[in-house]
Amino acid sequence: MGISIVVTSGKGGVGKTTTTANIGTALAMLGKKVVVVDADTGLRNLDLHLGLENRIVYNLIDVAEGTCRLKQALIKDKRFDNLFLLPTAQTKDKTAITPSQMQNIVETLKGEFDYVIIDCPAGIEHGFENAVAGADRAIIVTTPEVSAVRDADRIIGKIEAKGLDDHQLIINRIKYEMTKKGEMLNIEDMTDILAIKLLGIVPDDEKIVVSTNRGEPAVTDDHSKAGQAYKNIARRILGEEVPFLDLEDENTGFFGVLKKLFKR
Amino acid sequence: MDLFKIFSKESPSKDVAKERLKLILIHDRANVSPQFLEMVKGDIIRVISDYAEIDQDGLEIKLTRTGEQNSSTPALVANIPIKKMKDMGR
């Protein structure tokens, strides 16, 4: 029986879909059988992050409505044979599926896959209820901004109220230079405020934009810092002890600067 | 001095962010409505009025956190201006 993990945040635009695509891909690269599920009905994007938008025939809502079998809606990834996408509908809204239907689908997927990663929509309404319905664990994504941290705190409260106690935090888009100057909340500030276990720190990385442009998750790019961070996160999900990336070394130290100079 | 530190120019913006967040989250987590505070305020006025004459318009009650540094324990803080103590067999 596999494990289902919902990726959520409350606030939009903090990197839930990027996180889902990268963790899913990274777990597949580590040999696990993975399905990523888009629960953002009406505003689907996970397909774009994986470059699979042209292969969609059936979707999550078709499965819920019985239009097709679950297997027919699963799309195999271009690069990894053990990675699948269950897209959702773009023309329906979030009430097209109920939490109990979602729970059933996730249960069935857990029978087939090692990991079921669910991409939750922003907000705390119906879409959120659906996304967390079948989840064993939760990953909360936030960024070092007051609004994102506040929303993360609200989501943590909601999730705990549901008895989903296995939850961890990913801090996305940390700009080391700014944290050093005291112009951005740092890791300690955020874990202090949110009082939740830290799963990973993802540095702000322009390569993410390029990855999304191409529909190739950053973890497939060996030179992407964010990709490296997501690979580490995937290994932590598997239970490995992986130290957090030392952001100082990479960006500023004497050798870091030298490295940057020679890269150009 | 704490306030001074927050608003002085030298204070890094992340400290301002952290302070603001801590206070917001106390409110969010406690889920205290203005009606609730009004109810508490009404009751406090009633009780205190037995002992002292108070300035009801100047009465201020707010949800904040306990005085300790970095505390996230919520605290109700009331500021009750007393016009005159009642003479009750002191």
Side-chain angles (χ1 to χ4, degrees):
Chain A
M1 199 68 174
I3 295 166
S4 55
I5 305 173
V6 63
V7 179
T8 182
S9 70
K11 187 177 179 299
V14 297
K16 283 181 296 297
T17 309
T18 304
T19 298
T20 308
N22 277 290
I23 289 179
T25 306
L27 285 169
M29 287 164 79
L30 291 166
K32 297 295 169 189
K33 198 173 178 204
V34 182
V35 60
V36 288
V37 180
D38 195 341
D40 201 350
T41 303
L43 291 167
R44 74 172 180 213
N45 278 321
L46 189 52
D47 50 335
L48 286 174
H49 283 249
L50 293 164
L52 297 173
E53 65 273 17
N54 293 325
R55 304 190 182 186
I56 298 176
V57 183
Y58 295 112
N59 58 52
L60 181 68
I61 307 302
D62 293 323
V63 177
E65 289 172 350
T67 314
C68 72
R69 283 174 294 114
L70 182 53
K71 277 228 164 87
Q72 290 176 287
L74 294 175
I75 301 160
K76 195 203 265 184
D77 185 60
K78 284 175 182 171
R79 293 153 290 252
F80 304 101
D81 286 345
N82 49 341
L83 176 62
F84 289 79
L85 164 71
L86 177 55
T88 189
Q90 181 69 347
T91 53
K92 299 269 173 70
D93 68 54
K94 289 173 176 67
T95 55
I97 183 168
T98 66
S100 73
Q101 283 175 320
M102 190 70 188
Q103 203 173 351
N104 286 336
I105 291 169
V106 171
E107 274 309 302
T108 315
L109 289 171
K110 277 163 67 181
E112 289 281 317
F113 293 88
D114 298 319
Y115 285 93
V116 181
I117 317 282
I118 305 153
D119 184 22
C120 180
I124 48 173
E125 294 83 24
H126 203 92
F128 166 77
E129 297 291 334
N130 283 336
V132 299
D136 302 321
R137 294 187 197 171
I139 292 175
I140 291 110
V141 183
T142 191
T143 59
E145 295 157 59
V146 283
S147 46
V149 175
R150 180 192 204 175
D151 291 3
D153 188 74
R154 187 117 162 79
I155 284 291
I156 293 166
K158 287 241 162 216
I159 280 174
E160 283 177 350
K162 289 181 185 300
L164 196 54
D165 291 325
D166 192 345
H167 46 45
Q168 292 179 306
L169 183 73
I170 291 180
I171 298 173
N172 195 14
R173 288 201 211 121
I174 275 274
K175 297 189 189 195
Y176 178 73
E177 280 298 320
M178 288 190 76
T179 60
K180 214 174 82 175
K181 281 187 236 154
E183 299 296 348
M184 180 179 262
L185 290 166
N186 63 34
I187 310 298
E188 204 197 336
D189 293 331
M190 297 174 75
T191 49
D192 185 24
I193 290 168
L194 293 172
I196 169 178
K197 205 174 160 228
L198 187 63
L199 176 64
I201 305 156
V202 183
D204 190 56
D205 182 359
E206 290 184 353
K207 288 209 170 80
I208 285 287
V209 179
V210 180
S211 300
T212 315
N213 285 346
R214 296 189 194 282
E216 293 165 357
V219 289
T220 60
D221 174 359
D222 286 336
H223 302 294
S224 164
K225 278 281 125 219
Q228 185 57 51
Y230 280 122
K231 276 189 258 190
N232 289 350
I233 288 169
R235 285 167 57 201
R236 287 186 203 114
I237 290 172
L238 298 183
E240 262 184 71
E241 289 271 349
V242 188
F244 292 114
L245 280 184
D246 190 346
L247 300 172
E248 176 156 33
D249 266 10
E250 299 303 332
N251 296 330
T252 51
F254 177 66
F255 291 105
V257 173
L258 270 187
K259 232 167 72 188
K260 249 187 176 169
L261 277 175
F262 283 109
K263 247 190 184 165
R264 303 233 159 117
Chain B
M1 41 36 346
D2 217 21
L3 271 182
F4 182 73
K5 229 165 83 189
I6 296 167
F7 293 111
S8 73
K9 261 203 166 155
E10 286 81 12
S11 163
S13 70
K14 72 112 178 170
D15 287 345
V16 181
K18 195 175 178 183
E19 281 305 306
R20 289 176 63 210
L21 263 170
K22 281 186 170 171
L23 214 55
I24 298 163
L25 292 186
I26 284 169
H27 273 267
D28 285 0
R29 287 172 184 164
N31 197 16
V32 170
S33 65
Q35 289 94 317
F36 170 87
L37 285 180
E38 277 307 308
M39 279 162 62
V40 174
K41 197 168 157 179
D43 283 358
I44 287 178
I45 290 174
R46 233 188 31 228
V47 172
I48 308 258
S49 295
D50 288 345
Y51 302 92
E53 203 178 302
I54 59 176
D55 170 15
Q56 296 203 6
D57 296 328
L59 192 148
E60 191 189 28
I61 178 161
K62 61 182 178 183
L63 188 70
T64 176
R65 59 199 157 100
T66 52
E68 302 145 51
Q69 191 82 41
N70 293 327
S71 159
S72 60
T73 314
L76 271 178
V77 173
N79 192 352
I80 310 163
I82 295 168
K83 281 183 178 159
K84 198 177 138 215
M85 294 304 287
K86 284 191 178 165
D87 198 16
M88 293 183 31
R90 265 176 296 165

